Amino acid sequence: MAEVSLDALDKAILAALLIDGRQSQVDLAERVPLSPTAIARRIRALEQAGVIDGYQARINRKALGLTMMAIVQISLESQNEELLAAFEKAAAAAPSILSCYMMSGQDDYLITVLARDLADFERIHKEQLSRLPGVSRLHSSFVLREVASRSLPASSLLK
């Protein structure tokens, strides 16, 4: 996908939506010097250009009993294309995996997992993570405290 050029008004709209993605176009017009109609047009253009990729609710995982987050580093037996594709397909389908990134360096993938507690993580490790195709090594670290979590830092809109 080609990089999209944004003007100051587009950046202001995106910054406001990062704070509250549910605010109305009338509310946005109070923050951005445009009419609600102009804001609606710009949002539609940002969606069509793929800059706005979708909308989602931020759900408090602890309210659902998901109090443990683990970062799992995974090394595979090999890096042949078929194994990588099989691993990625299985990781994307695993219900407990929050995110999965192919990495450079010593480990092949970095996975984030949510669990209710240590016993739940043990179940996830046994039933999902260790069964992913081609896994030769798993190394798990547990998050002690979340310091920052953003979909996109506001500073990236200032450039």
Side-chain angles (χ1 to χ4, degrees):
M1 171 181 254
E3 186 174 334
V4 177
S5 178
L6 303 174
D7 65 16
L9 294 171
D10 289 333
K11 291 177 182 180
I13 291 168
L14 291 172
L17 289 173
L18 280 172
I19 293 167
D20 180 4
R22 289 189 56 166
Q23 58 190 307
S24 70
Q25 291 150 6
V26 172
D27 290 339
L28 280 168
E30 292 175 8
R31 292 169 177 74
V32 180
L34 290 171
S35 70
T37 304
I39 286 180
R41 254 194 321 273
R42 283 180 177 257
I43 289 173
R44 195 167 33 259
L46 290 166
E47 290 169 347
Q48 290 171 347
V51 174
I52 296 175
D53 199 22
Y55 301 88
Q56 67 186 75
R58 288 187 49 159
I59 297 171
N60 182 336
R61 63 183 173 84
K62 291 178 183 174
L64 300 176
L66 298 168
T67 59
M68 177 176 277
M69 181 182 289
I71 308 297
V72 183
Q73 297 162 281
I74 296 180
S75 296
L76 300 183
E77 297 164 353
S78 75
Q79 279 74 41
N80 73 56
E81 288 298 320
E82 290 172 1
L83 182 59
L84 294 173
F87 176 88
E88 290 176 10
K89 182 178 179 184
S96 298
I97 293 178
L98 185 62
S99 62
C100 178
Y101 303 97
M102 180 184 234
M103 305 298 291
S104 64
Q106 184 177 7
D107 298 306
D108 297 312
Y109 289 91
L110 186 71
I111 288 179
T112 306
V113 174
L114 293 178
R116 295 188 175 284
D117 53 28
L118 194 55
D120 189 37
F121 179 77
E122 181 181 10
R123 179 193 59 78
I124 292 165
H125 186 281
K126 182 173 68 174
E127 295 175 4
Q128 294 176 37
L129 301 178
S130 64
R131 292 181 184 177
L132 291 169
V135 171
S136 66
R137 186 181 69 80
L138 294 164
H139 177 82
S140 303
S141 300
F142 299 99
V143 174
L144 299 177
R145 176 178 50 239
E146 185 174 290
V147 177
S149 176
R150 301 177 187 93
S151 62
L152 180 74
S155 63
S156 65
L157 296 172
L158 301 175
K159 297 175 184 172

